Amino acid sequence: MKLYDYILSPSCYKVRLLASLIGAKLDLQSVDFHPGQEHKGDALLTLNPAGAIPILEDGAFVLTESSAMLAYLAATTAPEWEGRETPDMSAKVQQWLAFSHRLTASLGGARLVEMLHGNGDLDALQGAGIAALRELEAALFEQRLAGQSFLVGEQPTIADIACFPYVALAPDGSITLDPYPSIRLWMRAIRSLPGFIEMPGIHRLHDLVPDPQSSKEDH
Amino acid sequence: MTDTAMKDAWYPVGLCSDLSADGRKTRLMGEPITVKTGPVGAPEVLNADNEPLPVIIRFGHVWTSLGAPQTDLFTIPEADQPSRKLVDVGVVRVKCSPLRAVENFLDIAHFPFVHTDILGAEPHTEVEDYKVEIRDEEDEVWATKVKFFQPQAAKSAEGGITTEYMYRVPAPTCSVLYKTCPPRPGEWDVICLFVQPLTEDLCDVWPWMALYDEDNTMTELIHFQQMIFLQDRSILENQIPTRLPLDPGMEMPTRADMTSVAYRRWLKRHNYTYGAQLVAK
């Protein structure tokens, strides 16, 4: 499978992250999104008339929506990430995949304005982003009360991966995550998963080495 | 007015490859300016009153000044060597002091923690002794004989190597880094950080590189540098105090910070205080 990729794109990162978490192999093709605008060039417009990345190619099979790519990777490699155990779970996964587009438009829009000279009404984008974060915080709080760390159950699904990157990068658009403890715990749970990879702006969990407690016990 | 000295310096305000006749509106030290292709096709920079400002075209960027520059913009002779790839990395906006952006670029000690497994890795965190000087003749800050273990020092590096660095500050918001060039021992890769001060706590950063690299595409080289700089961005936006303190007392430097100490001393000596704070203030 070949991913047309940009290192700073949270949507491309969703696909790279899931592939790493489930051990799927991706060939990465770097696209000069900024400053080159290669995604608006003829070659890539032929693949994706919307002029956007990521684009995923598996032989002649081409996908241009990141949520569809997550669904495809999970279905072909790790069906447990689809979250289809019950009708409720299936529907909730779809609900969050659709919700993730609001995060892209709002938090992602604010990030482009603040970081890469994008156009847009920053106040409106930030307002919409904060409204989405509050909704996510409330849902994750309910999940925690039910003893579940992730959006749709005790195990992570593609819904978590679809929502995680733009949320984690909200500070790039000058939106603080300080007011959302449930979101921060959820992000920590995702960053703790075996196979987690980072992207610029999303740091890995650093081991506290040496652990001061354990060294006390040793000596 | 304490920032007159910095008014006379040169600053990057755009990429030569991205100019239009309509122009792009931006700011320089709080002043609105327009960067455009002028009537005869040459790049032009206009102030708020539509008056032309001085312009230099160098290193793929358009440079200007709000004042009356007494000196030419610095040069990088290595960058003129043929067969180097000249890489326009683009622009990234950062909510930090322009001087903080340069100072972070001069720091080696953060590599293992911020650029983990790329420019540094635990437990190889020690910064060995290196040499720092303010060269009076050139009026530049130089750090030489800097050595650091790096897992992937450049896009063209395979596996970990001990990389040698030289750092140079030839202008208040510009830094040039020379580093071991994995495919060509004996030559230096040139990596620059050109910073456009928008205000005292907001800047546009224009990284630029002149590399020997035949294996990687231009896009891959751009992505590598953007990845590195974006890892710094979230750190830079959270530094306190926002303005760079030039007097001792606010922060506690260690031996690894000798370049930063020299940079701050040099800024203070020249009254380059736009984006800085003095304790006495």
Side-chain angles (χ1 to χ4, degrees), chain A residues 161-215:
Chain A
I161 305 306
C163 293
F164 169 70
Y166 281 104
V167 171
L169 294 169
D172 279 350
S174 303
I175 297 168
T176 175
L177 292 172
D178 292 355
Y180 313 111
S182 299
I183 287 177
R184 294 206 311 278
L185 285 168
W186 167 74
M187 292 196 303
R188 190 175 176 94
I190 293 172
R191 290 160 73 208
S192 308
L193 293 171
F196 177 83
I197 54 169
E198 61 221 314
M199 75 164 271
I202 302 180
H203 302 278
R204 76 177 71 179
L205 293 176
H206 280 273
D207 292 331
L208 297 174
V209 182
D211 176 354
Q213 280 321 109
S214 73
S215 62

Short mmCIF file of all heavy atoms in Angstrom, two decimals, chain A residues 161-215:
data_model
loop_
_atom_site.label_atom_id
_atom_site.label_comp_id
_atom_site.label_asym_id
_atom_site.label_seq_id
_atom_site.Cartn_x
_atom_site.Cartn_y
_atom_site.Cartn_z
N ILE A 161 -8.38 6.96 16.61
CA ILE A 161 -7.29 7.41 15.74
C ILE A 161 -7.77 8.56 14.85
O ILE A 161 -7.01 9.49 14.55
CB ILE A 161 -6.76 6.25 14.87
CG1 ILE A 161 -6.35 5.07 15.77
CG2 ILE A 161 -5.60 6.70 13.99
CD1 ILE A 161 -5.36 5.43 16.87
N ALA A 162 -9.05 8.52 14.44
CA ALA A 162 -9.58 9.59 13.59
C ALA A 162 -9.65 10.92 14.34
O ALA A 162 -9.46 11.99 13.76
CB ALA A 162 -10.96 9.21 13.07
N CYS A 163 -9.91 10.86 15.64
CA CYS A 163 -10.09 12.10 16.41
C CYS A 163 -8.80 12.61 17.06
O CYS A 163 -8.67 13.81 17.33
CB CYS A 163 -11.16 11.90 17.49
SG CYS A 163 -12.81 11.65 16.81
N PHE A 164 -7.87 11.72 17.32
CA PHE A 164 -6.70 12.07 18.15
C PHE A 164 -5.81 13.19 17.58
O PHE A 164 -5.50 14.15 18.29
CB PHE A 164 -5.87 10.79 18.42
CG PHE A 164 -4.53 11.02 19.03
CD1 PHE A 164 -4.41 11.45 20.34
CD2 PHE A 164 -3.38 10.83 18.28
CE1 PHE A 164 -3.16 11.66 20.91
CE2 PHE A 164 -2.12 11.04 18.85
CZ PHE A 164 -2.02 11.47 20.16
N PRO A 165 -5.38 13.11 16.31
CA PRO A 165 -4.32 14.07 15.89
C PRO A 165 -4.74 15.54 15.96
O PRO A 165 -4.00 16.36 16.51
CB PRO A 165 -4.02 13.65 14.44
CG PRO A 165 -4.38 12.19 14.40
CD PRO A 165 -5.60 12.09 15.27
N TYR A 166 -5.90 15.89 15.43
CA TYR A 166 -6.27 17.31 15.44
C TYR A 166 -6.51 17.81 16.86
O TYR A 166 -6.27 18.99 17.16
CB TYR A 166 -7.49 17.57 14.55
CG TYR A 166 -7.11 17.64 13.09
CD1 TYR A 166 -7.37 16.59 12.22
CD2 TYR A 166 -6.44 18.76 12.59
CE1 TYR A 166 -7.00 16.65 10.89
CE2 TYR A 166 -6.06 18.83 11.26
CZ TYR A 166 -6.34 17.78 10.41
OH TYR A 166 -5.96 17.85 9.09
N VAL A 167 -6.98 16.93 17.74
CA VAL A 167 -7.15 17.32 19.14
C VAL A 167 -5.78 17.58 19.77
O VAL A 167 -5.55 18.62 20.39
CB VAL A 167 -7.92 16.23 19.92
CG1 VAL A 167 -7.90 16.52 21.41
CG2 VAL A 167 -9.36 16.13 19.41
N ALA A 168 -4.86 16.63 19.58
CA ALA A 168 -3.54 16.77 20.21
C ALA A 168 -2.81 18.01 19.71
O ALA A 168 -2.00 18.59 20.42
CB ALA A 168 -2.71 15.52 19.94
N LEU A 169 -3.11 18.42 18.46
CA LEU A 169 -2.42 19.58 17.88
C LEU A 169 -3.19 20.88 18.05
O LEU A 169 -2.81 21.91 17.48
CB LEU A 169 -2.14 19.33 16.39
CG LEU A 169 -1.14 18.19 16.12
CD1 LEU A 169 -1.14 17.83 14.65
CD2 LEU A 169 0.26 18.59 16.57
N ALA A 170 -4.27 20.86 18.84
CA ALA A 170 -5.05 22.08 19.05
C ALA A 170 -4.19 23.27 19.48
O ALA A 170 -4.41 24.39 19.03
CB ALA A 170 -6.17 21.82 20.05
N PRO A 171 -3.17 23.04 20.35
CA PRO A 171 -2.34 24.19 20.75
C PRO A 171 -1.64 24.88 19.57
O PRO A 171 -1.32 26.06 19.64
CB PRO A 171 -1.32 23.57 21.71
CG PRO A 171 -2.02 22.38 22.29
CD PRO A 171 -2.83 21.84 21.13
N ASP A 172 -1.38 24.15 18.46
CA ASP A 172 -0.81 24.78 17.27
C ASP A 172 -1.72 25.89 16.74
O ASP A 172 -1.27 26.81 16.07
CB ASP A 172 -0.61 23.75 16.14
CG ASP A 172 0.66 22.94 16.33
OD1 ASP A 172 1.47 23.29 17.20
OD2 ASP A 172 0.83 21.95 15.59
N GLY A 173 -3.03 25.77 17.00
CA GLY A 173 -3.99 26.79 16.58
C GLY A 173 -4.35 27.71 17.75
O GLY A 173 -5.41 28.34 17.75
N SER A 174 -3.46 27.77 18.75
CA SER A 174 -3.65 28.61 19.94
C SER A 174 -4.90 28.25 20.73
O SER A 174 -5.61 29.12 21.23
CB SER A 174 -3.69 30.10 19.56
OG SER A 174 -2.53 30.45 18.88
N ILE A 175 -5.21 26.97 20.81
CA ILE A 175 -6.32 26.51 21.65
C ILE A 175 -5.72 25.60 22.72
O ILE A 175 -5.14 24.56 22.40
CB ILE A 175 -7.37 25.74 20.82
CG1 ILE A 175 -7.98 26.66 19.77
CG2 ILE A 175 -8.46 25.17 21.73
CD1 ILE A 175 -8.78 25.95 18.72
N THR A 176 -5.84 25.99 23.98
CA THR A 176 -5.22 25.20 25.05
C THR A 176 -6.06 23.97 25.38
O THR A 176 -7.29 24.00 25.29
CB THR A 176 -5.00 26.06 26.31
OG1 THR A 176 -4.50 25.21 27.33
CG2 THR A 176 -6.30 26.70 26.78
N LEU A 177 -5.39 22.91 25.78
CA LEU A 177 -6.10 21.69 26.20
C LEU A 177 -6.18 21.60 27.72
O LEU A 177 -6.69 20.62 28.26
CB LEU A 177 -5.40 20.45 25.62
CG LEU A 177 -5.50 20.32 24.09
CD1 LEU A 177 -4.61 19.19 23.58
CD2 LEU A 177 -6.95 20.08 23.66
N ASP A 178 -5.68 22.64 28.40
CA ASP A 178 -5.69 22.60 29.87
C ASP A 178 -7.07 22.34 30.48
O ASP A 178 -7.16 21.65 31.49
CB ASP A 178 -5.11 23.91 30.44
CG ASP A 178 -3.62 24.04 30.17
OD1 ASP A 178 -3.04 23.07 29.63
OD2 ASP A 178 -3.04 25.09 30.46
N PRO A 179 -8.17 22.89 29.91
CA PRO A 179 -9.45 22.70 30.60
C PRO A 179 -10.08 21.31 30.43
O PRO A 179 -11.19 21.10 30.90
CB PRO A 179 -10.37 23.74 29.94
CG PRO A 179 -9.51 24.60 29.11
CD PRO A 179 -8.29 23.80 28.77
N TYR A 180 -9.41 20.37 29.76
CA TYR A 180 -10.06 19.11 29.40
C TYR A 180 -9.32 17.89 29.96
O TYR A 180 -8.59 17.21 29.23
CB TYR A 180 -10.18 18.99 27.87
CG TYR A 180 -10.70 20.25 27.23
CD1 TYR A 180 -9.89 21.05 26.44
CD2 TYR A 180 -12.03 20.65 27.43
CE1 TYR A 180 -10.36 22.21 25.86
CE2 TYR A 180 -12.51 21.82 26.85
CZ TYR A 180 -11.67 22.60 26.07
OH TYR A 180 -12.15 23.75 25.50
N PRO A 181 -9.52 17.57 31.25
CA PRO A 181 -8.76 16.46 31.85
C PRO A 181 -9.07 15.10 31.21
O PRO A 181 -8.16 14.27 31.08
CB PRO A 181 -9.19 16.49 33.32
CG PRO A 181 -10.44 17.30 33.36
CD PRO A 181 -10.37 18.26 32.23
N SER A 182 -10.30 14.87 30.83
CA SER A 182 -10.62 13.55 30.24
C SER A 182 -9.94 13.40 28.89
O SER A 182 -9.45 12.32 28.54
CB SER A 182 -12.13 13.39 30.09
OG SER A 182 -12.75 13.47 31.35
N ILE A 183 -9.89 14.49 28.12
CA ILE A 183 -9.20 14.45 26.83
C ILE A 183 -7.72 14.17 27.05
O ILE A 183 -7.10 13.38 26.33
CB ILE A 183 -9.40 15.77 26.06
CG1 ILE A 183 -10.83 15.86 25.54
CG2 ILE A 183 -8.39 15.90 24.92
CD1 ILE A 183 -11.17 17.16 24.81
N ARG A 184 -7.14 14.77 28.07
CA ARG A 184 -5.69 14.58 28.29
C ARG A 184 -5.39 13.13 28.70
O ARG A 184 -4.40 12.55 28.26
CB ARG A 184 -5.17 15.59 29.31
CG ARG A 184 -5.24 17.04 28.77
CD ARG A 184 -4.21 17.95 29.42
NE ARG A 184 -4.23 17.81 30.87
CZ ARG A 184 -5.07 18.43 31.69
NH1 ARG A 184 -5.97 19.26 31.18
NH2 ARG A 184 -5.01 18.25 32.97
N LEU A 185 -6.26 12.54 29.54
CA LEU A 185 -6.05 11.14 29.93
C LEU A 185 -6.20 10.22 28.71
O LEU A 185 -5.46 9.25 28.54
CB LEU A 185 -7.05 10.74 31.02
CG LEU A 185 -6.73 11.29 32.41
CD1 LEU A 185 -7.92 11.08 33.35
CD2 LEU A 185 -5.48 10.61 32.97
N TRP A 186 -7.18 10.53 27.88
CA TRP A 186 -7.41 9.73 26.66
C TRP A 186 -6.19 9.84 25.72
O TRP A 186 -5.74 8.83 25.18
CB TRP A 186 -8.69 10.28 26.00
CG TRP A 186 -8.97 9.85 24.60
CD1 TRP A 186 -9.41 8.62 24.18
CD2 TRP A 186 -8.91 10.67 23.42
NE1 TRP A 186 -9.61 8.63 22.81
CE2 TRP A 186 -9.30 9.88 22.33
CE3 TRP A 186 -8.54 12.01 23.19
CZ2 TRP A 186 -9.35 10.37 21.02
CZ3 TRP A 186 -8.60 12.50 21.90
CH2 TRP A 186 -9.00 11.68 20.83
N MET A 187 -5.65 11.04 25.60
CA MET A 187 -4.46 11.19 24.73
C MET A 187 -3.29 10.40 25.31
O MET A 187 -2.52 9.79 24.57
CB MET A 187 -4.07 12.67 24.60
CG MET A 187 -5.09 13.49 23.83
SD MET A 187 -4.42 15.08 23.27
CE MET A 187 -3.89 15.78 24.81
N ARG A 188 -3.19 10.39 26.63
CA ARG A 188 -2.10 9.64 27.25
C ARG A 188 -2.28 8.14 27.00
O ARG A 188 -1.30 7.43 26.73
CB ARG A 188 -2.06 9.94 28.76
CG ARG A 188 -0.83 9.38 29.40
CD ARG A 188 -0.68 9.76 30.86
NE ARG A 188 0.49 9.09 31.39
CZ ARG A 188 1.70 9.63 31.46
NH1 ARG A 188 1.87 10.86 31.06
NH2 ARG A 188 2.72 8.95 31.92
N ALA A 189 -3.54 7.69 27.06
CA ALA A 189 -3.81 6.27 26.80
C ALA A 189 -3.40 5.91 25.36
O ALA A 189 -2.83 4.84 25.11
CB ALA A 189 -5.28 5.96 27.04
N ILE A 190 -3.68 6.80 24.42
CA ILE A 190 -3.31 6.52 23.02
C ILE A 190 -1.79 6.55 22.87
O ILE A 190 -1.20 5.67 22.23
CB ILE A 190 -3.98 7.55 22.09
CG1 ILE A 190 -5.50 7.34 22.10
CG2 ILE A 190 -3.43 7.42 20.66
CD1 ILE A 190 -6.28 8.41 21.36
N ARG A 191 -1.13 7.53 23.51
CA ARG A 191 0.33 7.63 23.38
C ARG A 191 1.03 6.45 24.07
O ARG A 191 2.19 6.19 23.80
CB ARG A 191 0.82 8.95 23.98
CG ARG A 191 0.40 10.16 23.13
CD ARG A 191 0.46 11.44 23.95
NE ARG A 191 1.83 11.87 24.21
CZ ARG A 191 2.21 12.58 25.27
NH1 ARG A 191 1.32 12.91 26.19
NH2 ARG A 191 3.45 12.95 25.42
N SER A 192 0.32 5.75 24.96
CA SER A 192 0.91 4.61 25.65
C SER A 192 0.79 3.31 24.86
O SER A 192 1.33 2.28 25.27
CB SER A 192 0.22 4.38 27.00
OG SER A 192 0.20 5.54 27.76
N LEU A 193 0.03 3.31 23.76
CA LEU A 193 -0.21 2.06 23.03
C LEU A 193 1.09 1.54 22.41
O LEU A 193 1.89 2.33 21.90
CB LEU A 193 -1.25 2.29 21.93
CG LEU A 193 -2.66 2.62 22.40
CD1 LEU A 193 -3.54 3.04 21.21
CD2 LEU A 193 -3.29 1.42 23.11
N PRO A 194 1.30 0.24 22.44
CA PRO A 194 2.50 -0.32 21.80
C PRO A 194 2.47 0.00 20.30
O PRO A 194 1.42 -0.15 19.66
CB PRO A 194 2.37 -1.84 22.02
CG PRO A 194 1.28 -2.03 23.01
CD PRO A 194 0.45 -0.80 23.04
N GLY A 195 3.59 0.47 19.77
CA GLY A 195 3.63 0.80 18.34
C GLY A 195 3.27 2.25 18.06
O GLY A 195 3.27 2.68 16.91
N PHE A 196 2.98 3.04 19.12
CA PHE A 196 2.65 4.46 18.91
C PHE A 196 3.82 5.18 18.24
O PHE A 196 4.98 4.96 18.59
CB PHE A 196 2.34 5.12 20.25
CG PHE A 196 2.06 6.60 20.11
CD1 PHE A 196 0.80 7.04 19.76
CD2 PHE A 196 3.07 7.54 20.31
CE1 PHE A 196 0.55 8.40 19.61
CE2 PHE A 196 2.82 8.90 20.15
CZ PHE A 196 1.55 9.33 19.80
N ILE A 197 3.52 6.00 17.26
CA ILE A 197 4.55 6.86 16.66
C ILE A 197 4.13 8.31 16.81
O ILE A 197 2.94 8.60 16.93
CB ILE A 197 4.80 6.53 15.17
CG1 ILE A 197 3.48 6.58 14.39
CG2 ILE A 197 5.49 5.19 15.00
CD1 ILE A 197 3.66 6.54 12.88
N GLU A 198 5.12 9.21 16.79
CA GLU A 198 4.83 10.62 16.99
C GLU A 198 4.78 11.36 15.66
O GLU A 198 5.13 10.80 14.62
CB GLU A 198 5.90 11.24 17.88
CG GLU A 198 7.29 11.16 17.28
CD GLU A 198 8.37 10.80 18.29
OE1 GLU A 198 8.40 11.38 19.37
OE2 GLU A 198 9.19 9.93 17.97
N MET A 199 4.33 12.58 15.70
CA MET A 199 4.52 13.51 14.57
C MET A 199 4.94 14.83 15.19
O MET A 199 4.76 15.05 16.39
CB MET A 199 3.26 13.65 13.71
CG MET A 199 2.14 14.48 14.27
SD MET A 199 0.91 14.95 13.01
CE MET A 199 1.59 16.50 12.38
N PRO A 200 5.53 15.75 14.38
CA PRO A 200 5.96 17.01 14.97
C PRO A 200 4.80 17.70 15.68
O PRO A 200 3.72 17.86 15.10
CB PRO A 200 6.41 17.83 13.75
CG PRO A 200 6.82 16.79 12.76
CD PRO A 200 5.86 15.65 12.96
N GLY A 201 5.02 18.07 16.94
CA GLY A 201 3.95 18.68 17.73
C GLY A 201 3.26 17.70 18.65
O GLY A 201 2.60 18.09 19.60
N ILE A 202 3.37 16.40 18.36
CA ILE A 202 2.83 15.36 19.24
C ILE A 202 4.01 14.53 19.72
O ILE A 202 4.61 13.80 18.94
CB ILE A 202 1.82 14.46 18.52
CG1 ILE A 202 0.66 15.29 17.97
CG2 ILE A 202 1.29 13.38 19.48
CD1 ILE A 202 -0.40 14.48 17.24
N HIS A 203 4.36 14.72 20.99
CA HIS A 203 5.57 14.08 21.50
C HIS A 203 5.24 12.71 22.06
O HIS A 203 4.15 12.47 22.52
CB HIS A 203 6.22 14.97 22.56
CG HIS A 203 6.56 16.33 22.05
ND1 HIS A 203 7.70 16.58 21.34
CD2 HIS A 203 5.88 17.51 22.11
CE1 HIS A 203 7.72 17.86 20.99
NE2 HIS A 203 6.64 18.45 21.44
N ARG A 204 6.22 11.83 22.03
CA ARG A 204 6.04 10.52 22.65
C ARG A 204 6.11 10.67 24.17
O ARG A 204 6.56 11.69 24.69
CB ARG A 204 7.11 9.55 22.14
CG ARG A 204 8.46 9.78 22.77
CD ARG A 204 9.48 8.77 22.30
NE ARG A 204 9.86 8.99 20.90
CZ ARG A 204 10.77 8.24 20.25
NH1 ARG A 204 11.32 7.22 20.86
NH2 ARG A 204 11.08 8.52 19.01
N LEU A 205 5.67 9.66 24.90
CA LEU A 205 5.83 9.66 26.35
C LEU A 205 7.28 9.33 26.64
O LEU A 205 7.77 8.30 26.18
CB LEU A 205 4.93 8.61 26.98
CG LEU A 205 3.42 8.84 26.89
CD1 LEU A 205 2.69 7.65 27.50
CD2 LEU A 205 3.01 10.11 27.61
N HIS A 206 7.95 10.20 27.38
CA HIS A 206 9.33 9.89 27.74
C HIS A 206 9.33 9.10 29.04
O HIS A 206 8.67 9.47 30.00
CB HIS A 206 10.15 11.17 27.92
CG HIS A 206 10.61 11.75 26.63
ND1 HIS A 206 11.78 11.37 26.02
CD2 HIS A 206 10.02 12.65 25.81
CE1 HIS A 206 11.91 12.02 24.89
NE2 HIS A 206 10.86 12.80 24.73
N ASP A 207 10.07 8.00 29.05
CA ASP A 207 10.20 7.25 30.30
C ASP A 207 10.92 8.12 31.31
O ASP A 207 11.87 8.82 30.97
CB ASP A 207 11.04 5.99 30.06
CG ASP A 207 10.31 5.00 29.19
OD1 ASP A 207 9.07 5.01 29.24
OD2 ASP A 207 10.96 4.26 28.44
N LEU A 208 10.47 8.06 32.53
CA LEU A 208 11.17 8.79 33.58
C LEU A 208 12.30 7.90 34.06
O LEU A 208 12.12 7.04 34.91
CB LEU A 208 10.22 9.14 34.72
CG LEU A 208 9.07 10.07 34.32
CD1 LEU A 208 8.10 10.25 35.46
CD2 LEU A 208 9.61 11.41 33.88
N VAL A 209 13.46 8.06 33.44
CA VAL A 209 14.60 7.22 33.77
C VAL A 209 15.70 8.06 34.41
O VAL A 209 16.09 9.06 33.82
CB VAL A 209 15.15 6.55 32.49
CG1 VAL A 209 16.30 5.63 32.84
CG2 VAL A 209 14.05 5.78 31.78
N PRO A 210 16.26 7.71 35.52
CA PRO A 210 15.82 6.59 36.35
C PRO A 210 14.59 6.97 37.17
O PRO A 210 14.42 8.13 37.53
CB PRO A 210 17.03 6.37 37.27
CG PRO A 210 17.67 7.73 37.38
CD PRO A 210 17.40 8.44 36.07
N ASP A 211 13.74 5.99 37.43
CA ASP A 211 12.56 6.21 38.26
C ASP A 211 13.04 6.42 39.70
O ASP A 211 13.65 5.54 40.29
CB ASP A 211 11.66 4.98 38.15
CG ASP A 211 10.45 5.08 39.06
OD1 ASP A 211 10.38 6.05 39.85
OD2 ASP A 211 9.58 4.21 38.99
N PRO A 212 12.79 7.62 40.27
CA PRO A 212 13.33 7.92 41.60
C PRO A 212 12.85 6.93 42.66
O PRO A 212 13.61 6.58 43.57
CB PRO A 212 12.83 9.33 41.90
CG PRO A 212 11.98 9.77 40.77
CD PRO A 212 12.00 8.72 39.71
N GLN A 213 11.62 6.46 42.54
CA GLN A 213 11.09 5.50 43.53
C GLN A 213 11.87 4.20 43.49
O GLN A 213 12.31 3.69 44.50
CB GLN A 213 9.62 5.20 43.24
CG GLN A 213 8.64 6.25 43.74
CD GLN A 213 8.98 6.84 45.10
OE1 GLN A 213 9.36 7.99 45.19
NE2 GLN A 213 8.86 6.07 46.17
N SER A 214 12.06 3.67 42.27
CA SER A 214 12.67 2.35 42.16
C SER A 214 14.13 2.40 42.63
O SER A 214 14.61 1.46 43.26
CB SER A 214 12.59 1.82 40.74
OG SER A 214 13.51 2.52 39.91
N SER A 215 14.83 3.52 42.36
CA SER A 215 16.22 3.57 42.79
C SER A 215 16.30 3.62 44.31
O SER A 215 17.22 3.10 44.90
CB SER A 215 16.95 4.76 42.16
OG SER A 215 16.36 5.96 42.58
#
